[in-house]
């Protein structure tokens, strides 16, 4: 996501999962922080009005799975359904909108959350349109990742076509 490499997996039942540490890193926690930092943030009283019982239940019950090629003495990974990332981002965004007093770190996490939600929203609408029009079969995984990265750039340039759209389609 952007310049970050976030551990993500698809389980046998099709569930898209982010590792708990990967989810923390996505929102903006550092690599050195404990795997419980995410829970700690959302258990704070100031965020309580924005945290649903369902969200707490998901945080309390991470998904256990074995990472491919994990090896080692601890092959089990703990993670969460990928959509939980967006729910957690909205907790911070909603708290900010409500005027909750935040620490500098919480404000930084909120900024990152806003960027994540915007990027995935834009990427999502493009992916849905590609899917329903049948164009998705023609797109590569890298192309969709490039689109996501465009939306994550700190200072994206406004889209101005240099050549006619048909020419771009032909090139692609």
């Amino acid at each position: 996501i952007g310049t970050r490499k976030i551990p993500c997996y698809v389980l046998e039942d099709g569930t898209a999962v982010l590792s708990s540490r990967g989810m923390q890193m996505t929102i903006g926690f550092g690599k050195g922080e404990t795997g419980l930092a995410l829970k700690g943030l959302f258990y704070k009283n100031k965020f309580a009005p924005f945290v649903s019982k369902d969200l707490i239940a998901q945080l309390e019950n991470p998904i256990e799975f074995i990472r491919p090629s994990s090896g080692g003495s601890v092959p089990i990974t703990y993670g969460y359904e990928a959509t939980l990332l967006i729910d957690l981002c909205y907790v911070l965004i909603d708290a900010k909108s409500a005027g909750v007093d935040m620490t500098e770190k919480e404000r930084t996490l909120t900024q990152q959350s806003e960027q994540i939600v915007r990027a995935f929203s834009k990427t999502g609408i493009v992916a849905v349109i590609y899917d329903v029009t049948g164009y998705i079969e023609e797109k590569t995984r890298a192309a969709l990742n490039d689109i996501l990265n465009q939306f994550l750039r700190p200072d994206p340039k406004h889209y101005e076509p240099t050549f006619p759209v048909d020419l771009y389609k032909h090139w692609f």
Side-chain angles (χ1 to χ4, degrees), residues 37-106:
L38 190 65
K39 281 186 189 179
L41 175 68
F42 293 101
Y43 286 169
K44 290 183 178 179
N45 285 336
K46 63 178 149 185
F47 295 122
F50 310 99
V51 179
S52 69
K53 289 179 183 178
D54 180 55
L55 192 141
I56 291 292
Q58 288 182 63
L59 285 172
E60 288 292 326
N61 298 293
I63 299 167
E64 293 182 23
F65 61 98
I66 298 177
R67 290 185 324 271
S69 308
S70 58
S73 60
V74 186
I76 294 178
T77 297
Y78 296 93
Y80 300 101
E81 184 184 358
T83 59
L84 181 65
L85 171 65
I86 302 302
D87 295 336
L88 295 176
C89 287
Y90 274 118
V91 167
L92 294 170
I93 293 167
D94 292 346
K96 175 187 171 189
S97 295
V100 169
D101 185 35
M102 295 186 181
T103 65
E104 183 63 34
K105 180 175 184 142
E106 291 165 347

